[in-house]
Amino acid sequence: MEQLGADALLFVGDLSDGDLRLVKRIKQLACPVAVILGNHDRGKDRSGALLQQQLTLLGELNCSWALRSWQAPAVGIVGARPCSAGGGFHLSHAVQAVFGPVTEEESARRIVAAAGRVPDDWPLVVLAHSGPTGLGSDASSPCGRDWKQPAIDWGDRDLALALDRMQRRRRADLVVFGHMHHHLRGGKGERITFHRDRVGTLYVNAACVPRTGVDASGQPLHHFTWVEFDGTLPTLVSHRWYRPQGDLAYEQTLHRLSARGPD
């Protein structure tokens, strides 16, 4: 991370199955960080105690249903529902134990309220574990169910509702999420990881699993989804594979804003 020189780092969840060591290492990062926890992060503990431990350790880095922002660089990160497993709307026993019996409507309201606190001239980024419904129903869609037939839209309804309501004041510039792995189950190809909707919001699925590997010569590679902004405009979205020294080995460009518009 020091070699890459990124202005900020966002974690889309599923850090581990509740292993606190990784959370402690995240806390040691020098750059600005925002974290949304995933369904695996609650582990097998239905009581919510393990989930609460992680949230306590993360402190202000946790953006569940909240705004995390910085002035250098100026950006507002709005957290969606924590620990989502996709598939519409469902709260696990662990999440209910920590956050209470939050309804779908209340979840959407919290996301919209956090977004309303982002200054108009700052990028507005929504950070979620699972993406919203409405991005397609094929197995290869950004949030499509690929492990069971029929393939259906496995996104979050509350997030879709929140994003729709946010447009009354200001649309999200970027929605970043994970959960649905890039490689489809059963070796059936690759997932679509980028979408631009009719109002101009960009959606990117960052769940490259595993996010470490090796190149043709056996050298280690680390995956990051990379986003650049010019003001509130996302000018570049790409999947990148870096060597440990920080040099770029490969880039898959998903979106580039040129003088003539999006490429």
Side-chain angles (χ1 to χ4, degrees), residues 50-187:
L50 182 58
L51 174 57
Q52 184 61 66
Q53 281 184 287
Q54 293 176 86
L55 294 171
T56 300
L57 282 170
L58 286 169
E60 65 178 10
L61 305 188
N62 161 51
C63 62
S64 305
W65 284 309
L67 172 64
R68 176 140 171 75
S69 61
W70 309 281
Q71 293 188 351
V75 62
I77 311 296
V78 174
R81 171 164 48 98
C83 301
S84 170
F89 183 84
H90 172 72
L91 292 184
S92 68
H93 290 283
V95 172
Q96 290 190 60
V98 173
F99 293 98
V102 181
T103 65
E104 182 176 328
E105 176 67 26
E106 173 63 15
S107 177
R109 189 200 66 77
R110 292 183 183 185
I111 298 168
V112 174
R117 296 167 51 203
V118 179
D120 290 341
D121 58 345
W122 287 19
L124 197 170
V125 179
V126 176
L127 179 62
H129 180 58
S130 174
T133 54
L135 301 183
S137 300
D138 295 330
S140 60
S141 297
C143 301
R145 184 176 70 181
D146 62 325
W147 66 89
K148 182 180 179 181
Q149 292 296 325
I152 59 173
D153 186 341
W154 200 251
D156 283 350
R157 290 196 307 263
D158 54 329
L159 179 54
L161 181 61
L163 291 167
D164 183 63
R165 291 180 179 175
M166 284 165 56
Q167 293 178 25
R168 300 171 188 174
R169 177 185 175 274
R170 177 192 170 187
R171 64 169 173 79
D173 299 306
L174 176 70
V175 182
V176 183
F177 54 92
H179 189 52
M180 309 299 281
H181 299 183
H182 290 183
H183 292 287
L184 301 181
R185 291 286 182 90

Side-chain angles (χ1 to χ4, degrees), residues 143 226 260:
C143 301
W226 187 270
R260 63 179 183 275

Side-chain angles (χ1 to χ4, degrees), residues 191-205:
R191 184 174 303 280
I192 297 167
T193 61
F194 177 81
H195 177 77
R196 184 178 186 272
D197 69 14
R198 57 182 177 78
V199 299
T201 296
L202 306 186
Y203 301 79
V204 59
N205 178 328

